Amino acid sequence: DARVTQTPRDKVTEMGQEVTMRCQPILGHNTVFWYRQTMMQGLELLAYFRNRAPLDDSGMPKDRFSAEMPDATLATLKIQPSEPRDSAVYFCASGLSPLGNYGYTFGSGTRLTVV
Amino acid sequence: KQEVTQIPAALSVPEGENLVLNCSFTDSAIYNLQWFRQDPGKGLTSLLLIQSSQREQTSGRLNASLDKSSGRSTLYIAASQPGDSATYLCAVGSYNTDKLIFGTGTRLQVFP
């Protein structure tokens, strides 16, 4: 059963520290998304890539967040420096463009707590 | 800008009832709509995907319909069970972008 793998599952860190979250998309999927979920805002799209190229990162605070795809099997989301307001669950999803036909598959998420 | 709304925000029903969850969107130029389920502390599980050319999709006790012109989708759950308790999210994909815009969800509780 193909799935999107995210690591770590949980991360607790102190304010000011760097945080790196990783995602392994489903093999063959060419589009990767990063979402953040909080009670207040629900699911927000932070950034997404197609064929490893960033297409839209307008939902991401650029001063502290960065997203990359070093290769087709790995996507990363970094926060430096982290702040308590970054505490949320971060989801990665992958799909095969054109997405009208296939939809998205989500990972289990990384629960980030910044203290 | 696409906005997605889900009503009701929360629903509590006894086991066995048939349910309807509603999703509305402001921009009818969508290429698909997807319903997800999220259990507490877990990720999102895709339930049904309706393409813009389709009117409905069915999977077991679930049936999702799509009316693009009115900007609405409904998720029908037949003979609800306690195991159906979860948050249900709808999300729409728009033309010319791969973005999926989510509603705020309906939190469902089915009690025995």
Side-chain angles (χ1 to χ4, degrees):
Chain A
D1 210 15
R3 54 182 175 171
V4 176
T5 302
Q6 289 187 247
T7 57
R9 290 293 299 271
D10 291 277
K11 176 72 175 180
V12 180
T13 190
E14 292 185 348
M15 182 173 62
Q17 296 297 305
E18 177 179 301
V19 175
T20 299
M21 290 168 272
R22 294 177 173 80
C23 168
Q24 181 177 354
I26 290 175
L27 188 64
H29 280 186
N30 63 354
T31 309
V32 174
F33 307 82
W34 283 105
Y35 282 87
R36 175 171 63 183
Q37 187 177 38
T38 61
M39 289 293 291
M40 294 297 294
Q41 300 295 330
L43 273 160
E44 303 173 279
L45 179 64
L46 297 176
Y48 76 102
F49 298 78
R50 184 189 296 164
N51 298 323
R52 295 176 57 200
L55 289 189
D56 188 341
D57 60 2
S58 60
M60 203 164 66
K62 308 265 190 328
D63 57 336
R64 299 183 299 108
F65 285 60
S66 63
E68 297 179 343
M69 278 202 75
D71 60 61
T73 65
L74 177 64
T76 62
L77 180 66
K78 291 185 181 181
I79 308 175
Q80 168 63 21
S82 57
E83 297 180 1
R85 59 179 168 154
D86 301 328
S87 297
V89 181
Y90 292 80
F91 287 104
C92 173
S94 71
L96 182 62
S97 187
L99 294 174
N101 297 328
Y102 302 107
Y104 292 59
T105 301
F106 276 74
S108 299
T110 293
R111 182 177 299 277
L112 174 65
T113 304
V114 183
V115 297
Chain B
K1 178 185 174 184
Q2 179 73 271
E3 293 183 1
V4 183
T5 305
Q6 290 186 246
I7 296 173
L11 187 60
S12 182
V13 299
E15 182 177 8
E17 280 203 6
N18 300 324
L19 307 172
V20 175
L21 307 182
N22 297 292
C23 172
S24 61
F25 44 95
T26 54
D27 184 353
S28 61
I30 66 169
Y31 64 69
N32 69 12
L33 185 145
Q34 200 165 354
W35 282 93
F36 293 88
R37 168 185 173 140
Q38 186 175 29
D39 293 285
K42 304 292 186 181
L44 280 70
T45 301
S46 180
L47 297 173
L48 291 164
L49 170 69
I50 311 176
Q51 298 178 31
S52 60
S53 59
Q54 299 174 323
R55 297 286 297 202
E56 65 178 344
Q57 282 285 341
T58 298
S59 176
R61 294 183 293 108
L62 304 179
N63 175 276
S65 66
L66 175 64
D67 184 342
K68 276 180 51 178
S69 60
S70 65
R72 292 180 184 174
S73 176
T74 59
L75 178 66
Y76 178 81
I77 303 176
S80 59
Q81 303 171 357
D84 296 329
S85 299
T87 296
Y88 291 81
L89 295 148
C90 72
V92 299
S94 299
Y95 282 108
N96 301 318
T97 174
D98 290 323
K99 294 180 184 181
L100 202 62
I101 306 300
F102 280 85
T104 50
T106 293
R107 190 169 65 255
L108 172 65
Q109 182 181 9
V110 181
F111 53 90

